[in-house]
Amino acid sequence: MISIRPATRDDVPDLLTLIRGLAIFEKKPHKAIVTQADLLRDGFGPHPKFRALIADWHGEPAGYASFFYFYSTFQGRPALFLEDLFVLDEFRGNGIGKALLIAVCKLAIEEGCFALRWEVLDWNTPAIEFYQKLGATFLNERKVVTFEAEALKRVAGINSPRSHGVTEKQS
């Protein structure tokens, strides 16, 4: 039996285990450096940066979804960004992923969001096919872009000789 519920502070150890499971699935276990303290601070502190749902299968944590708001200046409304949707391998095929996605969609509707967006790895064919069957629109005209730690600092001018409180003129 599937049960979907909001994650609480007490779920942080299980949430961390699930996140590490996702990292292994994505072949990036070295990238999952998040700690319980990080999750407590950013998900359950005074100013949460994300929310999460936990999927239990017969009382055992089987998967999770994590998400947060973003804002569309074109729509003039918020939307949810689904950061993670993951089910442990031994629980797949029980409708858990779909139940998590349905729960996030319901929250988006209840909260007046215009959309739900997420990313899927190009090699994850089962997930792509799953989303296609549900009628997802793939935004192929977009490229995912990121500045990670060093690039952030470089672009922001932090720790560079030109970053000594001098603001450059923007053209």
Side-chain angles (χ1 to χ4, degrees):
M1 172 124 173
I2 302 169
S3 170
I4 307 291
R5 59 186 173 74
T8 67
R9 296 177 70 82
D10 294 338
D11 292 311
V12 166
D14 291 330
L15 187 56
L16 184 59
T17 298
L18 291 164
I19 290 168
R20 289 184 176 148
L22 173 60
I24 291 167
F25 173 78
E26 290 187 355
K27 301 169 182 64
K28 299 176 186 178
H30 60 285
K31 293 276 191 176
I33 61 171
V34 66
T35 66
Q36 286 188 29
D38 296 330
L39 295 173
L40 284 167
R41 177 194 65 228
D42 295 335
F44 306 96
H47 304 287
K49 309 292 188 268
F50 75 93
R51 293 185 288 166
L53 298 176
I54 300 286
D56 291 318
W57 180 255
H58 296 286
E60 188 175 347
Y64 78 104
S66 65
F67 49 94
F68 52 88
Y69 284 114
F70 71 94
Y71 189 81
S72 170
T73 56
F74 281 19
Q75 293 289 320
R77 293 174 49 205
L80 288 180
F81 186 86
L82 180 62
E83 177 66 18
D84 298 332
L85 177 66
F86 179 70
V87 176
L88 291 168
D89 191 48
E90 61 266 30
F91 297 104
R92 292 195 184 135
N94 292 307
I96 297 168
K98 186 174 183 179
L100 280 165
L101 187 58
I102 288 168
V104 176
C105 287
K106 285 180 178 179
L107 281 172
I109 292 166
E110 290 168 8
E111 296 174 10
C113 294
F114 79 91
L116 174 67
R117 283 196 185 156
W118 66 98
E119 299 169 2
V120 61
L121 294 169
D122 60 359
W123 56 261
N124 194 346
T125 305
I128 292 168
E129 291 172 356
F130 171 69
Y131 299 138
Q132 285 173 329
K133 285 180 189 173
L134 292 174
T137 300
F138 288 80
L139 304 175
N140 294 325
E141 75 275 8
R142 297 175 187 260
K143 292 281 188 190
V144 176
V145 181
T146 186
F147 285 141
E148 293 194 10
E150 290 307 312
L152 275 173
K153 290 176 186 174
R154 186 174 55 254
V155 172
I158 296 173
N159 296 330
S160 74
R162 296 173 17 165
S163 68
H164 298 288
V166 178
T167 305
E168 292 186 25
K169 182 180 177 184
Q170 300 293 317
S171 51

PDB file of all heavy atoms in Angstrom, residues 86-121:
ATOM      1  N   PHE A  86      12.124  10.168  -7.206  1.00  0.00           N
ATOM      2  CA  PHE A  86      12.926   8.949  -7.155  1.00  0.00           C
ATOM      3  C   PHE A  86      12.241   7.879  -6.329  1.00  0.00           C
ATOM      4  O   PHE A  86      11.677   8.161  -5.269  1.00  0.00           O
ATOM      5  CB  PHE A  86      14.303   9.249  -6.541  1.00  0.00           C
ATOM      6  CG  PHE A  86      15.182   8.045  -6.420  1.00  0.00           C
ATOM      7  CD1 PHE A  86      15.720   7.434  -7.544  1.00  0.00           C
ATOM      8  CD2 PHE A  86      15.467   7.514  -5.178  1.00  0.00           C
ATOM      9  CE1 PHE A  86      16.531   6.310  -7.428  1.00  0.00           C
ATOM     10  CE2 PHE A  86      16.279   6.384  -5.048  1.00  0.00           C
ATOM     11  CZ  PHE A  86      16.812   5.786  -6.173  1.00  0.00           C
ATOM     12  N   VAL A  87      12.337   6.654  -6.834  1.00  0.00           N
ATOM     13  CA  VAL A  87      11.837   5.473  -6.128  1.00  0.00           C
ATOM     14  C   VAL A  87      12.968   4.450  -6.099  1.00  0.00           C
ATOM     15  O   VAL A  87      13.606   4.192  -7.128  1.00  0.00           O
ATOM     16  CB  VAL A  87      10.596   4.882  -6.842  1.00  0.00           C
ATOM     17  CG1 VAL A  87      10.128   3.601  -6.156  1.00  0.00           C
ATOM     18  CG2 VAL A  87       9.469   5.911  -6.891  1.00  0.00           C
ATOM     19  N   LEU A  88      13.215   3.902  -4.926  1.00  0.00           N
ATOM     20  CA  LEU A  88      14.235   2.865  -4.801  1.00  0.00           C
ATOM     21  C   LEU A  88      13.906   1.696  -5.730  1.00  0.00           C
ATOM     22  O   LEU A  88      12.738   1.342  -5.901  1.00  0.00           O
ATOM     23  CB  LEU A  88      14.332   2.380  -3.355  1.00  0.00           C
ATOM     24  CG  LEU A  88      14.895   3.376  -2.342  1.00  0.00           C
ATOM     25  CD1 LEU A  88      14.650   2.885  -0.919  1.00  0.00           C
ATOM     26  CD2 LEU A  88      16.377   3.614  -2.599  1.00  0.00           C
ATOM     27  N   ASP A  89      14.941   1.104  -6.288  1.00  0.00           N
ATOM     28  CA  ASP A  89      14.787   0.058  -7.291  1.00  0.00           C
ATOM     29  C   ASP A  89      13.862  -1.076  -6.842  1.00  0.00           C
ATOM     30  O   ASP A  89      13.013  -1.534  -7.597  1.00  0.00           O
ATOM     31  CB  ASP A  89      16.167  -0.498  -7.657  1.00  0.00           C
ATOM     32  CG  ASP A  89      16.119  -1.384  -8.876  1.00  0.00           C
ATOM     33  OD1 ASP A  89      15.515  -0.976  -9.890  1.00  0.00           O
ATOM     34  OD2 ASP A  89      16.681  -2.505  -8.823  1.00  0.00           O
ATOM     35  N   GLU A  90      13.995  -1.500  -5.597  1.00  0.00           N
ATOM     36  CA  GLU A  90      13.203  -2.647  -5.133  1.00  0.00           C
ATOM     37  C   GLU A  90      11.709  -2.341  -5.006  1.00  0.00           C
ATOM     38  O   GLU A  90      10.896  -3.255  -4.860  1.00  0.00           O
ATOM     39  CB  GLU A  90      13.745  -3.203  -3.805  1.00  0.00           C
ATOM     40  CG  GLU A  90      13.714  -2.231  -2.652  1.00  0.00           C
ATOM     41  CD  GLU A  90      15.017  -1.467  -2.450  1.00  0.00           C
ATOM     42  OE1 GLU A  90      15.747  -1.221  -3.429  1.00  0.00           O
ATOM     43  OE2 GLU A  90      15.289  -1.111  -1.292  1.00  0.00           O
ATOM     44  N   PHE A  91      11.341  -1.063  -5.101  1.00  0.00           N
ATOM     45  CA  PHE A  91       9.937  -0.680  -4.987  1.00  0.00           C
ATOM     46  C   PHE A  91       9.326  -0.244  -6.322  1.00  0.00           C
ATOM     47  O   PHE A  91       8.154   0.115  -6.374  1.00  0.00           O
ATOM     48  CB  PHE A  91       9.778   0.453  -3.964  1.00  0.00           C
ATOM     49  CG  PHE A  91      10.183   0.054  -2.575  1.00  0.00           C
ATOM     50  CD1 PHE A  91      11.393   0.470  -2.038  1.00  0.00           C
ATOM     51  CD2 PHE A  91       9.363  -0.749  -1.800  1.00  0.00           C
ATOM     52  CE1 PHE A  91      11.772   0.106  -0.765  1.00  0.00           C
ATOM     53  CE2 PHE A  91       9.730  -1.130  -0.522  1.00  0.00           C
ATOM     54  CZ  PHE A  91      10.941  -0.700   0.002  1.00  0.00           C
ATOM     55  N   ARG A  92      10.128  -0.246  -7.371  1.00  0.00           N
ATOM     56  CA  ARG A  92       9.615   0.203  -8.674  1.00  0.00           C
ATOM     57  C   ARG A  92       8.585  -0.784  -9.210  1.00  0.00           C
ATOM     58  O   ARG A  92       8.602  -1.958  -8.899  1.00  0.00           O
ATOM     59  CB  ARG A  92      10.771   0.360  -9.666  1.00  0.00           C
ATOM     60  CG  ARG A  92      11.655   1.517  -9.259  1.00  0.00           C
ATOM     61  CD  ARG A  92      12.582   1.966 -10.338  1.00  0.00           C
ATOM     62  NE  ARG A  92      13.423   3.008  -9.756  1.00  0.00           N
ATOM     63  CZ  ARG A  92      14.720   3.092  -9.917  1.00  0.00           C
ATOM     64  NH1 ARG A  92      15.343   2.243 -10.695  1.00  0.00           N
ATOM     65  NH2 ARG A  92      15.392   4.060  -9.340  1.00  0.00           N
ATOM     66  N   GLY A  93       7.679  -0.255 -10.015  1.00  0.00           N
ATOM     67  CA  GLY A  93       6.631  -1.086 -10.603  1.00  0.00           C
ATOM     68  C   GLY A  93       5.378  -1.159  -9.750  1.00  0.00           C
ATOM     69  O   GLY A  93       4.447  -1.883 -10.087  1.00  0.00           O
ATOM     70  N   ASN A  94       5.341  -0.408  -8.658  1.00  0.00           N
ATOM     71  CA  ASN A  94       4.184  -0.415  -7.763  1.00  0.00           C
ATOM     72  C   ASN A  94       3.356   0.865  -7.854  1.00  0.00           C
ATOM     73  O   ASN A  94       2.460   1.078  -7.043  1.00  0.00           O
ATOM     74  CB  ASN A  94       4.644  -0.613  -6.310  1.00  0.00           C
ATOM     75  CG  ASN A  94       5.220  -1.984  -6.071  1.00  0.00           C
ATOM     76  OD1 ASN A  94       4.581  -2.983  -6.377  1.00  0.00           O
ATOM     77  ND2 ASN A  94       6.435  -2.042  -5.560  1.00  0.00           N
ATOM     78  N   GLY A  95       3.678   1.734  -8.810  1.00  0.00           N
ATOM     79  CA  GLY A  95       2.922   2.973  -8.968  1.00  0.00           C
ATOM     80  C   GLY A  95       3.350   4.084  -8.036  1.00  0.00           C
ATOM     81  O   GLY A  95       2.668   5.109  -7.928  1.00  0.00           O
ATOM     82  N   ILE A  96       4.494   3.928  -7.377  1.00  0.00           N
ATOM     83  CA  ILE A  96       4.945   4.901  -6.395  1.00  0.00           C
ATOM     84  C   ILE A  96       5.376   6.201  -7.064  1.00  0.00           C
ATOM     85  O   ILE A  96       5.013   7.292  -6.605  1.00  0.00           O
ATOM     86  CB  ILE A  96       6.066   4.313  -5.518  1.00  0.00           C
ATOM     87  CG1 ILE A  96       5.513   3.117  -4.722  1.00  0.00           C
ATOM     88  CG2 ILE A  96       6.664   5.367  -4.591  1.00  0.00           C
ATOM     89  CD1 ILE A  96       6.562   2.274  -4.035  1.00  0.00           C
ATOM     90  N   GLY A  97       6.124   6.101  -8.140  1.00  0.00           N
ATOM     91  CA  GLY A  97       6.563   7.308  -8.850  1.00  0.00           C
ATOM     92  C   GLY A  97       5.386   8.110  -9.366  1.00  0.00           C
ATOM     93  O   GLY A  97       5.344   9.340  -9.221  1.00  0.00           O
ATOM     94  N   LYS A  98       4.416   7.425  -9.929  1.00  0.00           N
ATOM     95  CA  LYS A  98       3.229   8.113 -10.433  1.00  0.00           C
ATOM     96  C   LYS A  98       2.452   8.754  -9.287  1.00  0.00           C
ATOM     97  O   LYS A  98       1.975   9.883  -9.406  1.00  0.00           O
ATOM     98  CB  LYS A  98       2.336   7.150 -11.210  1.00  0.00           C
ATOM     99  CG  LYS A  98       1.172   7.840 -11.883  1.00  0.00           C
ATOM    100  CD  LYS A  98       0.392   6.890 -12.776  1.00  0.00           C
ATOM    101  CE  LYS A  98      -0.734   7.617 -13.492  1.00  0.00           C
ATOM    102  NZ  LYS A  98      -1.483   6.717 -14.385  1.00  0.00           N
ATOM    103  N   ALA A  99       2.345   8.051  -8.156  1.00  0.00           N
ATOM    104  CA  ALA A  99       1.633   8.604  -6.997  1.00  0.00           C
ATOM    105  C   ALA A  99       2.327   9.859  -6.478  1.00  0.00           C
ATOM    106  O   ALA A  99       1.667  10.840  -6.115  1.00  0.00           O
ATOM    107  CB  ALA A  99       1.520   7.554  -5.893  1.00  0.00           C
ATOM    108  N   LEU A 100       3.661   9.857  -6.452  1.00  0.00           N
ATOM    109  CA  LEU A 100       4.400  11.047  -6.030  1.00  0.00           C
ATOM    110  C   LEU A 100       4.159  12.201  -6.998  1.00  0.00           C
ATOM    111  O   LEU A 100       3.911  13.332  -6.581  1.00  0.00           O
ATOM    112  CB  LEU A 100       5.899  10.750  -5.945  1.00  0.00           C
ATOM    113  CG  LEU A 100       6.379  10.028  -4.698  1.00  0.00           C
ATOM    114  CD1 LEU A 100       7.785   9.470  -4.905  1.00  0.00           C
ATOM    115  CD2 LEU A 100       6.343  10.958  -3.487  1.00  0.00           C
ATOM    116  N   LEU A 101       4.212  11.914  -8.302  1.00  0.00           N
ATOM    117  CA  LEU A 101       4.003  12.955  -9.309  1.00  0.00           C
ATOM    118  C   LEU A 101       2.587  13.526  -9.214  1.00  0.00           C
ATOM    119  O   LEU A 101       2.393  14.743  -9.268  1.00  0.00           O
ATOM    120  CB  LEU A 101       4.271  12.399 -10.706  1.00  0.00           C
ATOM    121  CG  LEU A 101       4.264  13.401 -11.845  1.00  0.00           C
ATOM    122  CD1 LEU A 101       5.283  14.503 -11.629  1.00  0.00           C
ATOM    123  CD2 LEU A 101       4.531  12.681 -13.169  1.00  0.00           C
ATOM    124  N   ILE A 102       1.609  12.675  -9.010  1.00  0.00           N
ATOM    125  CA  ILE A 102       0.222  13.132  -8.846  1.00  0.00           C
ATOM    126  C   ILE A 102       0.111  14.047  -7.628  1.00  0.00           C
ATOM    127  O   ILE A 102      -0.527  15.101  -7.683  1.00  0.00           O
ATOM    128  CB  ILE A 102      -0.738  11.927  -8.734  1.00  0.00           C
ATOM    129  CG1 ILE A 102      -0.877  11.239 -10.092  1.00  0.00           C
ATOM    130  CG2 ILE A 102      -2.107  12.353  -8.194  1.00  0.00           C
ATOM    131  CD1 ILE A 102      -1.572   9.879 -10.032  1.00  0.00           C
ATOM    132  N   ALA A 103       0.750  13.660  -6.534  1.00  0.00           N
ATOM    133  CA  ALA A 103       0.683  14.469  -5.308  1.00  0.00           C
ATOM    134  C   ALA A 103       1.305  15.849  -5.521  1.00  0.00           C
ATOM    135  O   ALA A 103       0.758  16.858  -5.046  1.00  0.00           O
ATOM    136  CB  ALA A 103       1.375  13.732  -4.154  1.00  0.00           C
ATOM    137  N   VAL A 104       2.422  15.914  -6.236  1.00  0.00           N
ATOM    138  CA  VAL A 104       3.057  17.209  -6.502  1.00  0.00           C
ATOM    139  C   VAL A 104       2.173  18.036  -7.431  1.00  0.00           C
ATOM    140  O   VAL A 104       2.010  19.245  -7.231  1.00  0.00           O
ATOM    141  CB  VAL A 104       4.482  17.036  -7.068  1.00  0.00           C
ATOM    142  CG1 VAL A 104       5.089  18.386  -7.443  1.00  0.00           C
ATOM    143  CG2 VAL A 104       5.386  16.318  -6.063  1.00  0.00           C
ATOM    144  N   CYS A 105       1.578  17.400  -8.438  1.00  0.00           N
ATOM    145  CA  CYS A 105       0.666  18.119  -9.343  1.00  0.00           C
ATOM    146  C   CYS A 105      -0.522  18.700  -8.572  1.00  0.00           C
ATOM    147  O   CYS A 105      -0.918  19.852  -8.804  1.00  0.00           O
ATOM    148  CB  CYS A 105       0.172  17.202 -10.456  1.00  0.00           C
ATOM    149  SG  CYS A 105       1.400  16.823 -11.713  1.00  0.00           S
ATOM    150  N   LYS A 106      -1.080  17.940  -7.664  1.00  0.00           N
ATOM    151  CA  LYS A 106      -2.201  18.431  -6.862  1.00  0.00           C
ATOM    152  C   LYS A 106      -1.793  19.626  -6.017  1.00  0.00           C
ATOM    153  O   LYS A 106      -2.537  20.603  -5.918  1.00  0.00           O
ATOM    154  CB  LYS A 106      -2.763  17.317  -5.981  1.00  0.00           C
ATOM    155  CG  LYS A 106      -3.579  16.305  -6.753  1.00  0.00           C
ATOM    156  CD  LYS A 106      -4.124  15.222  -5.837  1.00  0.00           C
ATOM    157  CE  LYS A 106      -4.971  14.235  -6.616  1.00  0.00           C
ATOM    158  NZ  LYS A 106      -5.494  13.163  -5.748  1.00  0.00           N
ATOM    159  N   LEU A 107      -0.597  19.569  -5.423  1.00  0.00           N
ATOM    160  CA  LEU A 107      -0.107  20.712  -4.648  1.00  0.00           C
ATOM    161  C   LEU A 107       0.044  21.941  -5.539  1.00  0.00           C
ATOM    162  O   LEU A 107      -0.332  23.051  -5.142  1.00  0.00           O
ATOM    163  CB  LEU A 107       1.241  20.386  -4.005  1.00  0.00           C
ATOM    164  CG  LEU A 107       1.217  19.538  -2.748  1.00  0.00           C
ATOM    165  CD1 LEU A 107       2.630  19.134  -2.341  1.00  0.00           C
ATOM    166  CD2 LEU A 107       0.538  20.290  -1.614  1.00  0.00           C
ATOM    167  N   ALA A 108       0.590  21.753  -6.734  1.00  0.00           N
ATOM    168  CA  ALA A 108       0.768  22.881  -7.657  1.00  0.00           C
ATOM    169  C   ALA A 108      -0.574  23.529  -7.975  1.00  0.00           C
ATOM    170  O   ALA A 108      -0.701  24.757  -7.976  1.00  0.00           O
ATOM    171  CB  ALA A 108       1.466  22.409  -8.934  1.00  0.00           C
ATOM    172  N   ILE A 109      -1.588  22.725  -8.221  1.00  0.00           N
ATOM    173  CA  ILE A 109      -2.924  23.253  -8.527  1.00  0.00           C
ATOM    174  C   ILE A 109      -3.498  23.972  -7.312  1.00  0.00           C
ATOM    175  O   ILE A 109      -3.984  25.104  -7.418  1.00  0.00           O
ATOM    176  CB  ILE A 109      -3.858  22.124  -9.000  1.00  0.00           C
ATOM    177  CG1 ILE A 109      -3.399  21.609 -10.370  1.00  0.00           C
ATOM    178  CG2 ILE A 109      -5.312  22.606  -9.047  1.00  0.00           C
ATOM    179  CD1 ILE A 109      -4.038  20.291 -10.784  1.00  0.00           C
ATOM    180  N   GLU A 110      -3.426  23.326  -6.147  1.00  0.00           N
ATOM    181  CA  GLU A 110      -3.955  23.929  -4.914  1.00  0.00           C
ATOM    182  C   GLU A 110      -3.285  25.256  -4.590  1.00  0.00           C
ATOM    183  O   GLU A 110      -3.908  26.154  -4.019  1.00  0.00           O
ATOM    184  CB  GLU A 110      -3.757  22.969  -3.732  1.00  0.00           C
ATOM    185  CG  GLU A 110      -4.629  21.740  -3.775  1.00  0.00           C
ATOM    186  CD  GLU A 110      -4.205  20.687  -2.756  1.00  0.00           C
ATOM    187  OE1 GLU A 110      -3.320  20.960  -1.906  1.00  0.00           O
ATOM    188  OE2 GLU A 110      -4.750  19.564  -2.823  1.00  0.00           O
ATOM    189  N   GLU A 111      -2.016  25.405  -4.961  1.00  0.00           N
ATOM    190  CA  GLU A 111      -1.250  26.599  -4.627  1.00  0.00           C
ATOM    191  C   GLU A 111      -1.239  27.631  -5.756  1.00  0.00           C
ATOM    192  O   GLU A 111      -0.476  28.598  -5.702  1.00  0.00           O
ATOM    193  CB  GLU A 111       0.163  26.188  -4.212  1.00  0.00           C
ATOM    194  CG  GLU A 111       0.127  25.352  -2.935  1.00  0.00           C
ATOM    195  CD  GLU A 111       1.462  24.766  -2.525  1.00  0.00           C
ATOM    196  OE1 GLU A 111       2.510  25.134  -3.111  1.00  0.00           O
ATOM    197  OE2 GLU A 111       1.470  23.934  -1.593  1.00  0.00           O
ATOM    198  N   GLY A 112      -2.084  27.434  -6.768  1.00  0.00           N
ATOM    199  CA  GLY A 112      -2.233  28.414  -7.833  1.00  0.00           C
ATOM    200  C   GLY A 112      -1.072  28.497  -8.803  1.00  0.00           C
ATOM    201  O   GLY A 112      -0.876  29.529  -9.446  1.00  0.00           O
ATOM    202  N   CYS A 113      -0.329  27.436  -8.933  1.00  0.00           N
ATOM    203  CA  CYS A 113       0.805  27.423  -9.853  1.00  0.00           C
ATOM    204  C   CYS A 113       0.324  27.238 -11.287  1.00  0.00           C
ATOM    205  O   CYS A 113      -0.665  26.550 -11.533  1.00  0.00           O
ATOM    206  CB  CYS A 113       1.766  26.300  -9.489  1.00  0.00           C
ATOM    207  SG  CYS A 113       2.565  26.525  -7.891  1.00  0.00           S
ATOM    208  N   PHE A 114       1.047  27.856 -12.218  1.00  0.00           N
ATOM    209  CA  PHE A 114       0.668  27.712 -13.627  1.00  0.00           C
ATOM    210  C   PHE A 114       1.263  26.467 -14.252  1.00  0.00           C
ATOM    211  O   PHE A 114       0.821  26.032 -15.314  1.00  0.00           O
ATOM    212  CB  PHE A 114       1.068  28.959 -14.437  1.00  0.00           C
ATOM    213  CG  PHE A 114       2.519  29.016 -14.799  1.00  0.00           C
ATOM    214  CD1 PHE A 114       2.972  28.485 -16.000  1.00  0.00           C
ATOM    215  CD2 PHE A 114       3.435  29.597 -13.950  1.00  0.00           C
ATOM    216  CE1 PHE A 114       4.315  28.532 -16.341  1.00  0.00           C
ATOM    217  CE2 PHE A 114       4.769  29.658 -14.278  1.00  0.00           C
ATOM    218  CZ  PHE A 114       5.218  29.121 -15.476  1.00  0.00           C
ATOM    219  N   ALA A 115       2.287  25.860 -13.609  1.00  0.00           N
ATOM    220  CA  ALA A 115       2.952  24.704 -14.213  1.00  0.00           C
ATOM    221  C   ALA A 115       3.777  23.956 -13.179  1.00  0.00           C
ATOM    222  O   ALA A 115       4.013  24.435 -12.069  1.00  0.00           O
ATOM    223  CB  ALA A 115       3.862  25.155 -15.355  1.00  0.00           C
ATOM    224  N   LEU A 116       4.216  22.791 -13.603  1.00  0.00           N
ATOM    225  CA  LEU A 116       5.221  22.010 -12.894  1.00  0.00           C
ATOM    226  C   LEU A 116       6.306  21.729 -13.924  1.00  0.00           C
ATOM    227  O   LEU A 116       6.002  21.291 -15.039  1.00  0.00           O
ATOM    228  CB  LEU A 116       4.630  20.694 -12.383  1.00  0.00           C
ATOM    229  CG  LEU A 116       5.610  19.714 -11.737  1.00  0.00           C
ATOM    230  CD1 LEU A 116       6.154  20.277 -10.425  1.00  0.00           C
ATOM    231  CD2 LEU A 116       4.955  18.368 -11.504  1.00  0.00           C
ATOM    232  N   ARG A 117       7.540  22.021 -13.576  1.00  0.00           N
ATOM    233  CA  ARG A 117       8.661  21.761 -14.480  1.00  0.00           C
ATOM    234  C   ARG A 117       9.669  20.869 -13.794  1.00  0.00           C
ATOM    235  O   ARG A 117       9.807  20.879 -12.584  1.00  0.00           O
ATOM    236  CB  ARG A 117       9.359  23.060 -14.890  1.00  0.00           C
ATOM    237  CG  ARG A 117       8.611  23.820 -15.917  1.00  0.00           C
ATOM    238  CD  ARG A 117       9.489  24.858 -16.565  1.00  0.00           C
ATOM    239  NE  ARG A 117       8.655  25.645 -17.468  1.00  0.00           N
ATOM    240  CZ  ARG A 117       8.928  26.863 -17.847  1.00  0.00           C
ATOM    241  NH1 ARG A 117      10.024  27.460 -17.436  1.00  0.00           N
ATOM    242  NH2 ARG A 117       8.126  27.509 -18.659  1.00  0.00           N
ATOM    243  N   TRP A 118      10.405  20.142 -14.628  1.00  0.00           N
ATOM    244  CA  TRP A 118      11.474  19.305 -14.117  1.00  0.00           C
ATOM    245  C   TRP A 118      12.408  18.972 -15.262  1.00  0.00           C
ATOM    246  O   TRP A 118      12.160  19.325 -16.412  1.00  0.00           O
ATOM    247  CB  TRP A 118      10.932  18.038 -13.449  1.00  0.00           C
ATOM    248  CG  TRP A 118      10.251  17.063 -14.363  1.00  0.00           C
ATOM    249  CD1 TRP A 118      10.813  15.936 -14.913  1.00  0.00           C
ATOM    250  CD2 TRP A 118       8.894  17.097 -14.832  1.00  0.00           C
ATOM    251  NE1 TRP A 118       9.880  15.285 -15.687  1.00  0.00           N
ATOM    252  CE2 TRP A 118       8.702  15.973 -15.654  1.00  0.00           C
ATOM    253  CE3 TRP A 118       7.839  17.976 -14.624  1.00  0.00           C
ATOM    254  CZ2 TRP A 118       7.482  15.702 -16.266  1.00  0.00           C
ATOM    255  CZ3 TRP A 118       6.629  17.706 -15.244  1.00  0.00           C
ATOM    256  CH2 TRP A 118       6.454  16.577 -16.050  1.00  0.00           C
ATOM    257  N   GLU A 119      13.489  18.305 -14.939  1.00  0.00           N
ATOM    258  CA  GLU A 119      14.468  17.849 -15.919  1.00  0.00           C
ATOM    259  C   GLU A 119      14.557  16.339 -15.833  1.00  0.00           C
ATOM    260  O   GLU A 119      14.314  15.760 -14.770  1.00  0.00           O
ATOM    261  CB  GLU A 119      15.841  18.460 -15.632  1.00  0.00           C
ATOM    262  CG  GLU A 119      15.854  19.972 -15.706  1.00  0.00           C
ATOM    263  CD  GLU A 119      17.127  20.593 -15.168  1.00  0.00           C
ATOM    264  OE1 GLU A 119      18.050  19.847 -14.748  1.00  0.00           O
ATOM    265  OE2 GLU A 119      17.194  21.830 -15.146  1.00  0.00           O
ATOM    266  N   VAL A 120      14.910  15.723 -16.944  1.00  0.00           N
ATOM    267  CA  VAL A 120      15.115  14.274 -16.969  1.00  0.00           C
ATOM    268  C   VAL A 120      16.409  14.021 -17.737  1.00  0.00           C
ATOM    269  O   VAL A 120      16.674  14.681 -18.752  1.00  0.00           O
ATOM    270  CB  VAL A 120      13.903  13.525 -17.592  1.00  0.00           C
ATOM    271  CG1 VAL A 120      13.657  13.936 -19.023  1.00  0.00           C
ATOM    272  CG2 VAL A 120      14.064  12.024 -17.473  1.00  0.00           C
ATOM    273  N   LEU A 121      17.214  13.124 -17.229  1.00  0.00           N
ATOM    274  CA  LEU A 121      18.467  12.795 -17.902  1.00  0.00           C
ATOM    275  C   LEU A 121      18.180  12.161 -19.264  1.00  0.00           C
ATOM    276  O   LEU A 121      17.282  11.315 -19.376  1.00  0.00           O
ATOM    277  CB  LEU A 121      19.300  11.843 -17.038  1.00  0.00           C
ATOM    278  CG  LEU A 121      19.798  12.442 -15.730  1.00  0.00           C
ATOM    279  CD1 LEU A 121      20.376  11.365 -14.822  1.00  0.00           C
ATOM    280  CD2 LEU A 121      20.826  13.528 -15.997  1.00  0.00           C
TER     281      LEU A 121
END
